[in-house]
Amino acid sequence: MSTTDLAPQELRILVAVAEEGGFSSAAARLGATQSAVSHAVRGIERKLGAVLFERGRFGARPTPAGERAAAHARRVLRLLEAMAADVRRADTGEVAGRLRVAAFRSAALHLLPPALDRLAALHPGVEVTVTVVRELGPGTAGEVAAGRADLGIATLGSPAALPPGLVGGVLLEEPYSLVHPVGYPEPRSLPLVDWTENCGSYTRDWWAAQDWIPAATVTAEDDGAVLSMVGSGLGMAIMPALSLTDAPPSVRITDLGPDRPYRCVGYATTPELAATTPVQALVRILRSLGRSTPERAKHQLRAV
């Protein structure tokens, strides 16, 4: 055995200390003693040849090397779990096991529910948990890279925008529309209401070329707050189709024309988990639903 080989229990200790922020709380989580956890971490650091945690009165804070080690540990432990589920499937034919999904807000509200309903009907043995993640910084793809999610529903500038080591693809392209209060005669003269996660550099470049779009007067927490403010007459907004699903009757949605921008929504996973049946099943369903989303958006625009 190589001196760098780590046992699964060592990986669990590494993850617990990283997530709990200290040896005592990690020990309580694992049902072990603090001295045993501290001793194990020192052994892991010797094997890997790196300091993984800064110790102090604040507890144990992962170093950059510790963050990377914890991400690898989560992913290895998840693969061991997926291996067991895959072996059982080969024996029984049943698709089962955990599936952890990270999604940004509008995808979690409007894209995932019908997909998860269909997944449950086809594979009731799959247990899904969904975490809503702000699509800022590492975002949902970052949750996958860190080993905290198996599948991320992400906004993609391009496939190359995924973190190194991840794979993924496009699920749908949703058009942006102008949203404004019903009955307002000149909506483009209204103040702009925006939110931080709204769009990436491609859409921002389109915005910059539109001389009628002012700087945002109000920046809201999320797209739901933006819709509420627009419906209350506080301004206009430029929003993607998923965010406008079930928009209130107090707002009107106007097509921005043939040159309107789009937001690309895709998925991200690891190469190993991409081969597992639960991930494959949900991706197939999401792709099927994604093909119908542009048509739903067109119908929504015709209906207002």
Side-chain angles (χ1 to χ4, degrees):
M1 180 181 291
S2 167
T3 57
T4 59
D5 285 343
L6 298 179
Q9 183 58 18
E10 291 177 298
L11 300 179
R12 294 186 185 96
I13 290 171
L14 173 57
V15 171
V17 175
E19 293 180 350
E20 297 294 336
F23 298 123
S24 297
S25 51
R29 168 171 159 177
L30 296 167
T33 64
Q34 179 181 347
S35 60
V37 169
S38 179
H39 177 75
V41 169
R42 288 196 298 271
I44 295 168
E45 290 178 323
R46 283 195 300 271
K47 289 182 179 181
L48 295 181
V51 176
L52 303 181
F53 296 96
E54 296 177 1
R55 282 83 160 171
R57 286 180 296 178
F58 51 79
R61 181 182 300 145
T63 63
E67 292 283 4
R68 290 181 65 84
H72 282 294
R74 291 187 195 97
R75 289 169 64 167
V76 170
L77 290 170
R78 185 67 185 93
L79 284 178
L80 291 174
E81 185 180 347
M83 178 182 70
D86 191 57
V87 169
R88 288 194 296 271
R89 183 180 68 84
D91 184 48
T92 65
E94 180 187 12
V95 177
R98 285 198 307 149
L99 179 58
R100 303 169 303 162
V101 180
F104 59 93
R105 182 183 179 276
S106 58
L109 285 176
H110 306 302
L111 182 61
L112 272 179
L116 296 182
D117 281 347
R118 191 175 301 179
L119 181 69
L122 293 172
H123 306 294
V126 177
E127 301 176 6
V128 182
T129 58
V130 177
T131 303
V132 178
V133 177
R134 298 196 73 185
E135 197 66 330
L136 298 171
T140 57
E143 291 295 293
V144 177
R148 289 186 287 265
D150 306 324
L151 185 71
I153 311 301
T155 55
L156 303 177
S158 68
L162 290 173
L166 299 189
V167 297
V170 175
L171 296 171
L172 61 98
E173 290 185 338
E174 48 175 343
Y176 277 82
S177 301
L178 173 65
V179 191
H180 53 91
V182 168
Y184 201 88
E186 297 181 12
R188 293 192 177 200
S189 65
L190 287 167
L192 180 68
V193 183
D194 200 9
W195 79 104
T196 310
E197 296 173 80
N198 190 4
C199 51
S201 59
Y202 159 70
T203 308
R204 294 294 181 189
D205 290 344
W206 178 89
W207 280 30
Q210 312 302 309
D211 56 11
W212 60 273
I213 302 178
T217 302
V218 178
T219 300
E221 177 67 19
D222 55 44
D223 50 355
V226 170
L227 270 178
S228 177
M229 291 179 180
V230 172
S232 298
L234 297 179
M236 65 170 178
I238 299 171
M239 306 182 72
L242 278 178
S243 296
L244 298 175
T245 305
D246 301 325
S250 56
V251 304
R252 183 174 179 84
I253 303 167
T254 301
D255 194 331
L256 286 169
D259 296 327
R260 62 186 178 272
Y262 286 78
R263 181 170 71 173
C264 185
V265 178
Y267 70 93
T269 187
T270 66
E272 300 82 9
L273 290 172
T276 61
T277 308
V279 168
Q280 291 177 341
L282 184 54
V283 168
R284 281 196 299 270
I285 293 169
L286 287 167
R287 281 177 168 158
S288 174
L289 291 174
R291 285 192 291 270
S292 68
T293 297
E295 291 305 316
R296 291 203 307 272
K298 290 176 185 175
H299 175 74
Q300 191 173 35
L301 285 168
R302 287 194 298 267
V304 296

